[in-house]
C-alpha cells in the first residue's frame, strides 16, 4: 500500500511538472510600468519607427496615422484619414524617403495604400485583398528596402518598388489565413509565415514553394527574427496549448521553450541583442521580458489585450494594445545603448556609422578591424557624449581597407575603465576600378575646400587650379599616388571671390595619361 501511494504521489508530481512552464518567471516588477500614450484601436502591428532615427515613431488607428518625434512620448495626427479604413493592420516606412510609407488596412475589401507626401494623399496600390483578421499582412526584406511581401487568401505576392506594383509569387499556398510574415536578414531567400489553426510554414526560395515546419490547432499570431544572431527566431502560440516557440536553424525546427497554457500574441527581439526578447499575453494583462535569451523572464503588467510589442532599442519599447499605443517606462538610467552599427564601401574607403539611443558615462569607442573575423586591431578612437538620453550619431572613415571582406567592431569604453564590445559587422570592399574626380567639398567654400579623386592603380598625379578665364593660379599637388582615393586640401585665402576650375592630371604605372576637371565657387 505504501509503495502504491508513493507511486501515485510521484506520478502526480510528474504530471504537475509537465504542466508547469519551462521558463523561470520573476515576480511582477513594479519599476517597469507602461503608459498609454495614444488612445486607439488597431489589430496586427500598427507601429513602425525610423531605422536611422529611433526618435521618429508612427502609429495607426482606424484610419488615422499618428507621428511621434520624441521616442513615443507624444503623438500628433498627420495627413488625412485613409479612405474607408476601419483598422490599420501594419505600417512600413520607406528607408529612402521620409515622406513615403505603406499601410495595410481593413476595409470593405482589404487594401494596401501608399503615400509619398506623409499621408496628405493616399493611393491604393493593392486592392480586393483578404487579410487574416488578426494578421500582420506585410513585411519588408531587410536586405532590400524596396522589396515587400504580402499574402491574400492563398496568393503570396511580392513588390520590388516599395509597393507600387505587385507580382504573384505563388497562387496556391498551402495556407489561407496568414498571421505574420518574416524574412531572415542574412538569408533573405528564407521566409516564414505563421498561420491561423495550421502552424508555421517555411520557404527557402523566396516564396516560390513552401513546406510546413510546425503544426498546431491554434494560431501563430507573431514571428520575430533575430537581427544579429543568424538563424534564430521566436513565435507565439494562441490557443492550441499556448506557449512560446524558438528556432535556431532558420525556422526548420521549433521547440516549445515555455509559457505552456498561456495564450501569447506579440513577440519581438532587440535589433542589437538577441538575448533581449519580449512577448505579450493576449488577454492576461501581462508582457514578459528576458535579457538572457529566455532563461529568466520578468513579468510586467499592462492594460487591455496585446497585439504587438516593438523593441526599437532598450530605451524605446512599445506595445500596441486594444486600448492604443503604450510605452514602457524604464526604472533606471540604462548604459550606452547601440541602436545601429553599419558600414558601406564607397569612393575607395569604408565608411562606418553607428547610433546610440542613450549614453551613460560613455568615454567613447575604439574602432577595431579584422581581415579574418578573428584577430582585431585598433584603428582609431571616437569620443562619446558622456551621459545623455538623446540619440547620438557617430562615423569613422577607414581609408586603407584590403580588397574583399573586412570585419569591424566597436569597443565602447566608460570613464571608469569598463568596456563592452559591439556585434561584428562585415563590409565587402571593392577596389577603385576607374579614374574619377569628385565634386569638391564644401562647395561653395571659404576659404578652404577638399578636392578628392580616385586612382585605380599606383601612379603620378598633379592638381591645378585655374581662374574662370583659364589662367593657372595654383598647383596644389604634384607627386606619386597609391591606388585608392586621394584627398587634397586647397586654401584659397589669397584669391578673390569667383568661379574656379580644378584639374587633375593622372599618369598610371603603365604610362596611360588621363585628365579630369570640374568647377567650384569661392564666396568670401
Amino acid at each position: 500500500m505504501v509503495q502504491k501511494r508513493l507511486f501515485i504521489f510521484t506520478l502526480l508530481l510528474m504530471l504537475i511538472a509537465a504542466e508547469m512552464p519551462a521558463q523561470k518567471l520573476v515576480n511582477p516588477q513594479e519599476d517597469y510600468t507602461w503608459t498609454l500614450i495614444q488612445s486607439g484601436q488597431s489589430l496586427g502591428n500598427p507601429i513602425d519607427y525610423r531605422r536611422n532615427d529611433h526618435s521618429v515613431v508612427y502609429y495607426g488607428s482606424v484610419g488615422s496615422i499618428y507621428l511621434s518625434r520624441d521616442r513615443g512620448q507624444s503623438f500628433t495626427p498627420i495627413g488625412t484619414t485613409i479612405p474607408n479604413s476601419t483598422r490599420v493592420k501594419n505600417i512600413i516606412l520607406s528607408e529612402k524617403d521620409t515622406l513615403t510609407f505603406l499601410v495595410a488596412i481593413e476595409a470593405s475589401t482589404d487594401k494596401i495604400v501608399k503615400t509619398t507626401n506623409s499621408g496628405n494623399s493616399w493611393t491604393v496600390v493593392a486592392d480586393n485583398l483578404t487579410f487574416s483578421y488578426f494578421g500582420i499582412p506585410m513585411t519588408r526584406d531587410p536586405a532590400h528596402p524596396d522589396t515587400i511581401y504580402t499574402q491574400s487568401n492563398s496568393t503570396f505576392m511580392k513588390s520590388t518598388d516599395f509597393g507600387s506594383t505587385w507580382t504573384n509569387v505563388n497562387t496556391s499556398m498551402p495556407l489561407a489565413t496568414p498571421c505574420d510574415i518574416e524574412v531572415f536578414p542574412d538569408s533573405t531567400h528564407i521566409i516564414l509565415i505563421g498561420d491561423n489553426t495550421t502552424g508555421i510554414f517555411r520557404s527557402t526560395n523566396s516564396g516560390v514553394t513552401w513546406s510546413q515546419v510546425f503544426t498546431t490547432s491554434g494560431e501563430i499570431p507573431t514571428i520575430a527574427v533575430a537581427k544579429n544572431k543568424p538563424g534564430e527566431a521566436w513565435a507565439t502560440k494562441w490557443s492550441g496549448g499556448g506557449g512560446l516557440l524558438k528556432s535556431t536553424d532558420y525556422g526548420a525546427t521549433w521547440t516549445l521553450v515555455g509559457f505552456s497554457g498561456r495564450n501569447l500574441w506579440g513577440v519581438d527581439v532587440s535589433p542589437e541583442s538577441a538575448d533581449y526578447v519580449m512577448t505579450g499575453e493576449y488577454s492576461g494583462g501581462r508582457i514578459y521580458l528576458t535579457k538572457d535569451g529566455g532563461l529568466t523572464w520578468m513579468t510586467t503588467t499592462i492594460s487591455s489585450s496585446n497585439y504587438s510589442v516593438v523593441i526599437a532599442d532598450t530605451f524605446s519599447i512599445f506595445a500596441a494594445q486594444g486600448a492604443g499605443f503604450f510605452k514602457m517606462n524604464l526604472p533606471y538610467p540604462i548604459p550606452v545603448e547601440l541602436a545601429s552599427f553599419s558600414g558601406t564601401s564607397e569612393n575607395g574607403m569604408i565608411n562606418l556609422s553607428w547610433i546610440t539611443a542613450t549614453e551613460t558615462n560613455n568615454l567613447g569607442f575604439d574602432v577595431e578591424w579584422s581581415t579574418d573575423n578573428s584577430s582585431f586591431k585598433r584603428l582609431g578612437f571616437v569620443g562619446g557624449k558622456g551621459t545623455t538620453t538623446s540619440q547620438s550619431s557617430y562615423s569613422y572613415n577607414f581609408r586603407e581597407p584590403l580588397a574583399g571582406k573586412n570585419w569591424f567592431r566597436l569597443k565602447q569604453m566608460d570613464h571608469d575603465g569598463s568596456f563592452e564590445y559591439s556585434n561584428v559587422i562585415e563590409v565587402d570592399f571593392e577596389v577603385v576600378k576607374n579614374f574619377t574626380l569628385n565634386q569638391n567639398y564644401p562647395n561653395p567654400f571659404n576659404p578652404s575646400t577638399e578636392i578628392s579623386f580616385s586612382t585605380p592603380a599606383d601612379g603620378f598625379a598633379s592638381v591645378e587650379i585655374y581662374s574662370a578665364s583659364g589662367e593657372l593660379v595654383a598647383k596644389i599637388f604634384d607627386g606619386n599616388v597609391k591606388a585608392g582615393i586621394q584627398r587634397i586640401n586647397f586654401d584659397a585665402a589669397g584669391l578673390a571671390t569667383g568661379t574656379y576650375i580644378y584639374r587633375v592630371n593622372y599618369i598610371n604605372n603603365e604610362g596611360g595619361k588621363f585628365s579630369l576637371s570640374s568647377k567650384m565657387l569661392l564666396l568670401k
Side-chain angles (χ1 to χ4, degrees):
M1 181 64 70
V2 174
Q3 289 181 338
K4 182 177 181 181
R5 288 177 178 174
L6 180 61
F7 172 77
I8 294 174
F9 179 73
T10 303
L11 181 61
L12 287 172
L13 287 178
M14 292 175 63
L15 291 173
I16 292 172
E19 292 297 320
M20 292 178 63
Q23 80 291 340
K24 180 181 178 182
L25 284 175
V26 181
N27 289 331
Q29 301 293 299
E30 296 181 359
D31 290 338
Y32 286 83
T33 59
W34 294 86
T35 299
L36 174 62
I37 303 296
Q38 176 62 53
S39 298
Q41 48 179 311
S42 298
L43 294 176
N45 180 19
I47 300 171
D48 200 8
Y49 60 92
R50 294 267 174 230
R51 294 307 185 266
N52 62 351
D53 184 358
H54 296 178
S55 63
V56 179
V57 183
Y58 286 73
Y59 169 67
S61 172
V62 187
S64 298
I65 303 297
Y66 299 86
L67 171 63
S68 170
R69 296 189 181 278
D70 55 9
R71 295 179 175 274
Q73 287 294 122
S74 63
F75 283 89
T76 56
I78 61 170
T80 60
T81 57
I82 303 172
N84 304 314
S85 175
T86 57
R87 285 191 178 92
V88 171
K89 306 300 289 290
N90 73 313
I91 302 170
I92 297 181
L93 304 178
S94 169
E95 295 185 11
K96 296 180 177 179
D97 182 357
T98 59
L99 302 179
T100 299
F101 52 92
L102 298 171
V103 183
I105 63 170
E106 283 188 13
S108 55
T109 59
D110 297 342
K111 299 173 174 55
I112 296 175
V113 296
K114 181 176 182 177
T115 179
T116 58
N117 53 17
S118 200
N120 288 309
S121 62
W122 300 94
T123 300
V124 176
V125 292
D127 203 351
N128 299 314
L129 307 177
T130 301
F131 298 141
S132 174
Y133 182 71
F134 290 107
I136 306 172
M138 295 187 299
T139 197
R140 73 183 99 209
D141 179 338
H144 306 92
D146 284 342
T147 297
I148 310 294
Y149 293 100
T150 190
Q151 183 176 339
S152 174
N153 289 322
S154 298
T155 300
F156 188 72
M157 304 160 62
K158 177 181 180 179
S159 171
T160 57
D161 53 12
F162 199 72
S164 293
T165 60
W166 297 83
T167 57
N168 294 338
V169 180
N170 186 317
T171 58
S172 58
M173 294 287 287
L175 67 150
T177 52
C179 297
D180 193 13
I181 308 169
E182 288 295 323
V183 180
F184 282 95
D186 63 329
S187 301
T188 58
H189 61 288
I190 303 178
I191 307 176
L192 303 175
I193 296 182
D195 187 46
N196 181 25
T197 73
T198 308
I200 299 175
F201 292 79
R202 179 175 186 256
S203 173
T204 58
N205 52 15
S206 301
V208 177
T209 58
W210 295 83
S211 60
Q212 188 166 357
V213 291
F214 182 82
T215 302
T216 180
S217 59
E219 186 171 354
I220 304 295
T222 312
I223 300 174
V225 171
K227 306 299 187 297
N228 64 351
K229 196 168 186 179
E232 188 167 288
W234 301 76
T236 54
K237 290 183 64 186
W238 182 87
S239 190
L244 184 65
L245 302 170
K246 183 178 182 180
S247 174
T248 58
D249 56 5
Y250 291 90
T253 60
W254 294 85
T255 302
L256 183 66
V257 295
F259 298 99
S260 180
R262 299 172 187 258
N263 291 324
L264 302 183
W265 205 266
V267 64
D268 199 17
V269 185
S270 168
E272 289 303 316
S273 173
D275 289 336
Y276 199 107
V277 184
M278 181 172 289
T279 186
E281 198 166 350
Y282 174 68
S283 59
R286 291 180 289 266
I287 290 180
Y288 305 98
L289 171 65
T290 180
K291 300 179 182 179
D292 54 19
L295 298 178
T296 59
W297 292 84
M298 179 187 306
T299 307
T300 70
T301 59
I302 193 170
S303 61
S304 190
S305 299
N306 175 251
Y307 291 116
S308 68
V309 290
V310 175
I311 307 173
D313 51 64
T314 54
F315 186 61
S316 310
I317 301 173
F318 317 121
Q321 301 288 112
F325 178 100
F326 286 74
K327 182 176 182 180
M328 176 180 272
N329 306 305
L330 301 178
Y332 52 82
I334 64 174
V336 174
E337 175 61 31
L338 194 66
S340 66
F341 178 33
S342 61
T344 58
S345 173
E346 185 179 7
N347 293 330
M349 65 180 177
I350 289 178
N351 307 306
L352 303 176
S353 60
W354 62 98
I355 297 173
T356 60
T358 185
E359 298 181 21
T360 301
N361 199 32
N362 182 22
L363 174 64
F365 306 86
D366 271 347
V367 180
E368 298 187 349
W369 169 55
S370 174
T371 57
D372 59 7
N373 199 17
S374 177
S375 301
F376 285 82
K377 73 174 186 178
R378 181 179 183 274
L379 291 178
F381 175 79
V382 178
K385 303 294 177 62
T387 298
T388 177
T389 57
S390 298
Q391 181 171 283
S392 300
S393 299
Y394 297 91
S395 63
Y396 182 87
N397 297 327
F398 183 34
R399 301 172 184 271
E400 298 179 359
L402 297 181
K405 296 185 182 300
N406 293 256
W407 289 268
F408 300 90
R409 70 183 182 187
L410 301 174
K411 180 182 180 182
Q412 184 274 314
M413 297 175 288
D414 288 349
H415 284 281
D416 61 8
S418 59
F419 63 88
E420 184 176 2
Y421 286 107
S422 73
N423 60 300
V424 176
I425 63 169
E426 176 186 308
V427 183
D428 196 4
F429 176 68
E430 295 185 3
V431 298
V432 175
K433 296 180 180 179
N434 298 299
F435 171 51
T436 59
L437 176 62
N438 302 316
Q439 183 63 53
N440 66 300
Y441 182 83
N443 186 49
F445 66 100
N446 178 29
S448 63
T449 187
E450 182 182 80
I451 296 171
S452 62
F453 57 97
S454 299
T455 51
D458 295 354
F460 182 88
S462 64
V463 181
E464 301 166 338
I465 310 298
Y466 292 86
S467 67
S469 61
E471 179 187 358
L472 177 65
V473 297
K475 177 176 281 192
I476 61 174
F477 180 80
D478 194 38
N480 295 321
V481 292
K482 296 287 188 181
I485 190 168
Q486 322 298 328
R487 290 177 173 81
I488 310 298
N489 187 67
F490 171 48
D491 189 339
L495 298 179
T497 294
T499 299
Y500 292 86
I501 299 169
Y502 56 99
R503 179 177 179 177
V504 178
N505 304 302
Y506 166 60
I507 303 175
N508 64 23
N509 52 11
E510 296 179 351
K513 296 181 179 181
F514 307 88
S515 182
L516 292 171
S517 60
S518 185
K519 293 181 179 180
M520 58 184 174
L521 179 60
L522 172 62
L523 290 178
K524 290 188 174 182

